[in-house]
Amino acid sequence: MTSTTGTTSTTCPSCGGPIGAADRYCEACGAELSPAATPATAAIDTDTEPTVELNPSAARSAEAPPGPCRSCGGVVGDDSYCQTCGTKAAKPRDHFSEQPAPWVAAVCDRGIRHSRNEDAVAVSADAEPGSRAQLVVCDGVSSSLDSDVASLAAARAAREVLAAGHAQGMGTESSRNSAVVARLKAAADAANDAVLANTSPDSPNPASCTFVAVVLEGDLLVAGVVGDSRAYWFPDNAEPVGLTVDDSWAAELIATGVPRQQAETGPQAHAITRWLGKDAPDHTPRTTTVKVDGPGWLVVCSDGLWNYCSEAAPLADLVRQTAAANRGEPLATASALVDWANAQGGQDNITVALARL
């Protein structure tokens, strides 16, 4: 996912700060740069994020008016600046949350370094705690065009498929497992179709994103993954479990015996080997099934979180401590975990989806 290309420097018309020829946002003041300030076809890397408008079907909640100022809680004026402290308000797409039921919630945030949020999340749940839920996270590949639009469309398309009906199978445990796995694969198909629908046919860098989804059906937990977004199960009274294995260069190195810390901090650590999109080699999710036999936390996240706490055991400790500090409330806990990742540097977009079983 990382590549570096040269750019020609110029200055931002708003603040005079330095910008590259391929930049669409000023890193100093956050101003959107006019098309005239950038070439028609720019070199794309992981730090260059072309501006796009969300289409109506892909951005229901992300187009809502800005809420209170995130810095001081003041009123944001029509000019998008806080009337109390003067801070420029974040775009709704930069930071949004979902909570379909008190026991399930998600927060998606731009982070600190990136000028736009290419992560996306979509969750749904029945009202009864621990009964039925669907959590989907997609992480847009920064070097591809329109990945912020595509990832949001993909997450929501997958959620709709997963939430469409209960998996009953033929009444046996194995058939129920097979039914959920089939639904996860159908959800990945729908997500891939959504990415294609948000990709220009002549795009030099077609939109692409990762995909991870978890379905809870009573005591059955099934996760599916394409790429390097992750799912974890942290039972209260048992060892924490990583439900997914990344499709990445780092994961391949780890499989050969390279220490995790070394593999995940190397120059190709975030090079993914599978993804959703026009040029994807294979978008069929690899699945894992777990039986739930006690209370715990289900965590689905992008690499913006696990970059700073990768292994299951320390991440479980972090989640439990954060939850305890937030009275076990999933939305507050997810928000606090996003804040924690930003405090570590916020080098990537951050998404955290939680279910308290």
Side-chain angles (χ1 to χ4, degrees):
M1 292 171 65
T2 56
S3 62
T4 303
T5 56
T7 58
T8 302
S9 295
T10 181
T11 58
C12 171
S14 297
C15 71
I19 59 173
D23 290 344
R24 299 299 178 92
Y25 291 87
C26 174
E27 292 293 340
C29 69
E32 294 185 16
L33 305 177
S34 66
T38 58
T41 303
I44 304 299
D45 62 34
T46 56
D47 295 326
T48 301
E49 299 126 355
T51 182
V52 293
E53 294 298 326
L54 297 173
N55 63 49
S57 63
R60 295 189 296 266
S61 65
E63 289 181 330
C69 172
R70 290 181 61 196
S71 296
C72 72
V75 176
V76 176
D78 293 338
D79 60 356
S80 297
Y81 286 86
C82 175
Q83 296 176 356
T84 302
C85 70
T87 300
K88 183 176 175 60
K91 294 181 179 179
R93 181 66 175 89
D94 287 347
H95 181 95
F96 63 96
S97 61
E98 295 190 356
Q99 187 168 30
W103 61 286
V104 174
V107 176
C108 185
D109 185 79
R110 178 172 63 90
I112 295 173
R113 180 185 176 205
H114 287 276
S115 60
R116 68 174 183 176
N117 186 10
E118 294 168 329
D119 273 11
V121 65
V123 296
S124 58
D126 289 356
E128 182 183 352
S131 58
R132 182 171 182 262
Q134 302 82 31
L135 293 77
V136 184
V137 169
C138 294
D139 179 356
V141 176
S142 295
S143 58
S144 65
L145 296 173
D146 299 343
S147 60
D148 55 339
V149 179
S151 63
L152 189 60
R156 290 176 171 173
R159 176 185 60 189
E160 297 307 311
V161 170
L162 295 174
H166 290 270
Q168 300 297 328
M170 301 297 292
T172 64
E173 189 69 23
S174 62
S175 66
R176 184 167 70 115
N177 293 357
S178 297
V180 176
V181 169
R183 192 144 49 90
L184 266 171
K185 292 179 178 178
D189 288 340
N192 193 67
D193 289 344
V195 173
L196 298 180
N198 285 278
T199 300
S200 173
D202 56 355
S203 174
N205 295 299
S208 54
C209 66
T210 68
F211 170 88
V212 63
V214 179
V215 175
L216 172 71
E217 295 274 1
D219 62 350
L220 179 66
L221 200 58
V222 183
V225 64
V226 181
D228 66 351
S229 296
R230 295 183 180 178
Y232 299 85
W233 167 234
F234 299 147
D236 290 352
N237 301 309
E239 292 297 314
V241 178
L243 296 174
T244 55
V245 176
D246 298 345
D247 295 307
S248 70
W249 179 243
E252 293 187 8
L253 289 177
I254 293 169
T256 66
V258 175
R260 177 178 293 275
Q261 197 278 336
Q262 178 182 337
E264 293 183 345
T265 56
Q268 297 297 319
H270 291 280
I272 56 175
T273 55
R274 294 201 310 144
W275 57 88
L276 304 185
K278 181 179 179 180
D279 57 354
D282 173 28
H283 67 264
T284 303
R286 290 182 293 109
T287 60
T288 302
T289 300
V290 171
K291 290 296 292 291
V292 176
D293 58 3
W297 285 97
L298 172 62
V299 180
V300 184
C301 64
S302 67
D303 57 357
L305 177 67
W306 68 252
N307 274 338
Y308 302 110
C309 196
S310 174
E311 296 190 66
L315 183 57
D317 290 341
L318 174 65
V319 170
R320 290 164 181 156
Q321 292 166 9
T322 306
N326 288 275
R327 301 180 180 179
E329 206 284 309
L331 182 58
T333 302
S335 182
L337 288 168
V338 166
D339 290 343
W340 177 86
N342 275 322
Q344 309 312 303
Q347 293 295 302
D348 204 345
N349 309 142
I350 309 155
T351 301
V352 181
L354 300 176
R356 175 61 189 174
L357 311 189

